[in-house]
Tab-separated table of all heavy atoms in Angstrom:
chain	number	residue	atom	x	y	z
A	419	ALA	N	122.249	88.569	142.643
A	419	ALA	CA	122.500	87.207	142.306
A	419	ALA	C	121.863	86.810	140.904
A	419	ALA	O	122.468	86.117	140.049
A	419	ALA	CB	122.014	86.243	143.362
A	420	GLN	N	120.569	87.303	140.728
A	420	GLN	CA	119.994	87.043	139.421
A	420	GLN	C	120.770	87.608	138.277
A	420	GLN	O	120.910	87.022	137.183
A	420	GLN	CB	118.611	87.585	139.475
A	420	GLN	CG	117.522	86.752	140.127
A	420	GLN	CD	116.125	87.394	140.085
A	420	GLN	OE1	116.018	88.638	140.021
A	420	GLN	NE2	115.141	86.627	140.120
A	421	LEU	N	121.216	88.829	138.441
A	421	LEU	CA	121.942	89.573	137.401
A	421	LEU	C	123.201	88.760	137.072
A	421	LEU	O	123.482	88.488	135.850
A	421	LEU	CB	122.264	90.951	137.892
A	421	LEU	CG	123.202	91.790	136.814
A	421	LEU	CD1	122.494	91.794	135.483
A	421	LEU	CD2	123.423	93.189	137.388
A	422	LEU	N	123.976	88.311	138.105
A	422	LEU	CA	125.223	87.517	137.741
A	422	LEU	C	124.831	86.169	137.105
A	422	LEU	O	125.527	85.820	136.108
A	422	LEU	CB	125.961	87.301	139.028
A	422	LEU	CG	126.665	88.518	139.651
A	422	LEU	CD1	127.406	88.175	140.863
A	422	LEU	CD2	127.544	89.214	138.668
A	423	ARG	N	123.759	85.517	137.560
A	423	ARG	CA	123.488	84.223	136.879
A	423	ARG	C	123.013	84.410	135.443
A	423	ARG	O	123.201	83.598	134.546
A	423	ARG	CB	122.324	83.561	137.709
A	423	ARG	CG	122.821	82.978	139.009
A	423	ARG	CD	121.935	82.019	139.600
A	423	ARG	NE	120.592	82.547	139.906
A	423	ARG	CZ	120.249	83.182	141.071
A	423	ARG	NH1	121.039	83.149	142.147
A	423	ARG	NH2	118.992	83.712	141.253
A	424	LEU	N	122.372	85.649	135.209
A	424	LEU	CA	121.817	85.922	133.853
A	424	LEU	C	123.007	86.208	132.869
A	424	LEU	O	123.023	85.763	131.849
A	424	LEU	CB	120.960	87.151	134.078
A	424	LEU	CG	120.101	87.543	132.766
A	424	LEU	CD1	118.787	88.139	133.244
A	424	LEU	CD2	120.816	88.490	131.998
A	425	ILE	N	123.940	87.027	133.416
A	425	ILE	CA	125.075	87.351	132.445
A	425	ILE	C	126.173	86.309	132.389
A	425	ILE	O	127.060	86.364	131.531
A	425	ILE	CB	125.750	88.675	132.723
A	425	ILE	CG1	126.506	88.674	134.096
A	425	ILE	CG2	124.714	89.824	132.633
A	425	ILE	CD1	127.133	90.079	134.348
A	426	ALA	N	126.049	85.348	133.363
A	426	ALA	CA	127.114	84.305	133.327
A	426	ALA	C	126.994	83.336	132.200
A	426	ALA	O	127.993	82.722	131.754
A	426	ALA	CB	126.995	83.369	134.697
A	427	VAL	N	125.929	83.284	131.513
A	427	VAL	CA	125.690	82.469	130.291
A	427	VAL	C	126.102	83.192	129.007
A	427	VAL	O	125.971	82.658	127.937
A	427	VAL	CB	124.416	81.822	130.171
A	427	VAL	CG1	124.134	80.915	131.295
A	427	VAL	CG2	123.292	82.878	130.145
A	428	LEU	N	126.408	84.590	129.135
A	428	LEU	CA	126.813	85.368	128.039
A	428	LEU	C	128.282	85.220	127.882
A	428	LEU	O	129.023	84.462	128.567
A	428	LEU	CB	126.358	86.743	128.264
A	428	LEU	CG	124.870	86.972	128.399
A	428	LEU	CD1	124.453	88.380	128.677
A	428	LEU	CD2	124.091	86.433	127.151
A	429	ALA	N	128.827	86.084	126.929
A	429	ALA	CA	130.308	85.952	126.741
A	429	ALA	C	131.065	86.731	127.973
A	429	ALA	O	130.469	87.591	128.591
A	429	ALA	CB	130.572	86.770	125.386
A	430	PRO	N	132.258	86.419	128.171
A	430	PRO	CA	132.970	87.065	129.241
A	430	PRO	C	133.410	88.454	128.761
A	430	PRO	O	134.581	88.872	128.972
A	430	PRO	CB	134.101	86.133	129.447
A	430	PRO	CG	134.382	85.470	128.219
A	430	PRO	CD	133.005	85.423	127.576
A	431	GLU	N	132.608	89.222	128.112
A	431	GLU	CA	132.814	90.586	127.719
A	431	GLU	C	131.933	91.507	128.451
A	431	GLU	O	131.018	91.152	129.243
A	431	GLU	CB	132.506	90.743	126.164
A	431	GLU	CG	133.143	89.621	125.351
A	431	GLU	CD	134.677	89.711	125.237
A	431	GLU	OE1	135.165	90.796	125.521
A	431	GLU	OE2	135.384	88.770	124.811
A	432	ALA	N	132.178	92.835	128.293
A	432	ALA	CA	131.377	93.790	129.048
A	432	ALA	C	129.983	93.790	128.520
A	432	ALA	O	129.620	93.591	127.396
A	432	ALA	CB	131.920	95.201	128.754
A	433	VAL	N	129.053	93.859	129.516
A	433	VAL	CA	127.627	94.007	129.302
A	433	VAL	C	127.181	95.410	129.554
A	433	VAL	O	127.292	95.914	130.677
A	433	VAL	CB	126.877	93.007	130.201
A	433	VAL	CG1	125.310	93.209	129.947
A	433	VAL	CG2	127.167	91.533	129.818
A	434	PRO	N	126.646	96.225	128.624
A	434	PRO	CA	126.352	97.519	128.777
A	434	PRO	C	125.144	97.613	129.717
A	434	PRO	O	124.169	96.869	129.691
A	434	PRO	CB	125.907	98.089	127.338
A	434	PRO	CG	126.673	97.068	126.478
A	434	PRO	CD	126.692	95.762	127.041
A	435	LEU	N	125.243	98.520	130.679
A	435	LEU	CA	124.222	98.688	131.672
A	435	LEU	C	122.806	99.189	131.050
A	435	LEU	O	121.752	98.977	131.563
A	435	LEU	CB	124.620	99.595	132.763
A	435	LEU	CG	125.798	99.057	133.701
A	435	LEU	CD1	126.103	100.069	134.733
A	435	LEU	CD2	125.416	97.647	134.273
A	436	ARG	N	122.983	99.737	129.903
A	436	ARG	CA	121.884	100.339	129.224
A	436	ARG	C	120.968	99.228	128.850
A	436	ARG	O	119.787	99.321	128.607
A	436	ARG	CB	122.191	101.211	127.981
A	436	ARG	CG	122.909	100.370	126.847
A	436	ARG	CD	123.041	101.216	125.567
A	436	ARG	NE	123.675	100.462	124.487
A	436	ARG	CZ	124.982	100.176	124.357
A	436	ARG	NH1	125.857	100.704	125.189
A	436	ARG	NH2	125.407	99.471	123.315
A	437	TRP	N	121.493	97.981	128.706
A	437	TRP	CA	120.681	96.792	128.320
A	437	TRP	C	119.621	96.595	129.468
A	437	TRP	O	118.538	95.968	129.121
A	437	TRP	CB	121.469	95.608	128.114
A	437	TRP	CG	122.364	95.672	126.829
A	437	TRP	CD1	122.377	96.651	125.910
A	437	TRP	CD2	123.207	94.613	126.373
A	437	TRP	NE1	123.347	96.343	124.992
A	437	TRP	CE2	123.819	95.055	125.164
A	437	TRP	CE3	123.488	93.287	126.790
A	437	TRP	CZ2	124.600	94.314	124.327
A	437	TRP	CZ3	124.291	92.502	125.993
A	437	TRP	CH2	124.888	92.971	124.847
A	438	LEU	N	119.987	96.867	130.631
A	438	LEU	CA	119.006	96.549	131.730
A	438	LEU	C	117.978	97.562	132.021
A	438	LEU	O	117.017	97.193	132.665
A	438	LEU	CB	119.943	96.345	133.077
A	438	LEU	CG	121.091	95.384	132.965
A	438	LEU	CD1	121.876	95.543	134.228
A	438	LEU	CD2	120.493	93.891	132.929
A	439	ILE	N	118.244	98.748	131.556
A	439	ILE	CA	117.378	99.867	131.916
A	439	ILE	C	116.161	100.016	130.811
A	439	ILE	O	116.526	100.034	129.559
A	439	ILE	CB	118.215	101.191	131.987
A	439	ILE	CG1	119.349	101.023	133.062
A	439	ILE	CG2	117.298	102.416	132.272
A	439	ILE	CD1	120.352	102.080	133.016
A	440	GLY	N	115.066	100.203	131.274
A	440	GLY	CA	113.944	100.385	130.425
A	440	GLY	C	113.499	99.188	129.568
A	440	GLY	O	112.909	99.345	128.449
A	441	THR	N	113.802	98.003	130.016
A	441	THR	CA	113.418	96.721	129.215
A	441	THR	C	111.924	96.491	129.360
A	441	THR	O	111.291	96.873	130.419
A	441	THR	CB	114.213	95.508	129.766
A	441	THR	OG1	113.885	95.427	131.179
A	441	THR	CG2	115.676	95.677	129.573
A	442	PRO	N	111.343	96.019	128.352
A	442	PRO	CA	109.842	95.712	128.299
A	442	PRO	C	109.575	94.714	129.515
A	442	PRO	O	110.319	93.925	129.864
A	442	PRO	CB	109.523	95.195	126.951
A	442	PRO	CG	110.688	95.781	126.048
A	442	PRO	CD	111.886	95.789	126.972
Side-chain angles (χ1 to χ4, degrees):
Q420 280 183 332
L421 175 56
L422 289 183
R423 292 194 297 267
L424 189 148
I425 67 174
V427 298
L428 301 179
E431 310 290 341
V433 174
L435 295 179
R436 66 174 184 273
W437 290 3
L438 303 171
I439 300 169
T441 55

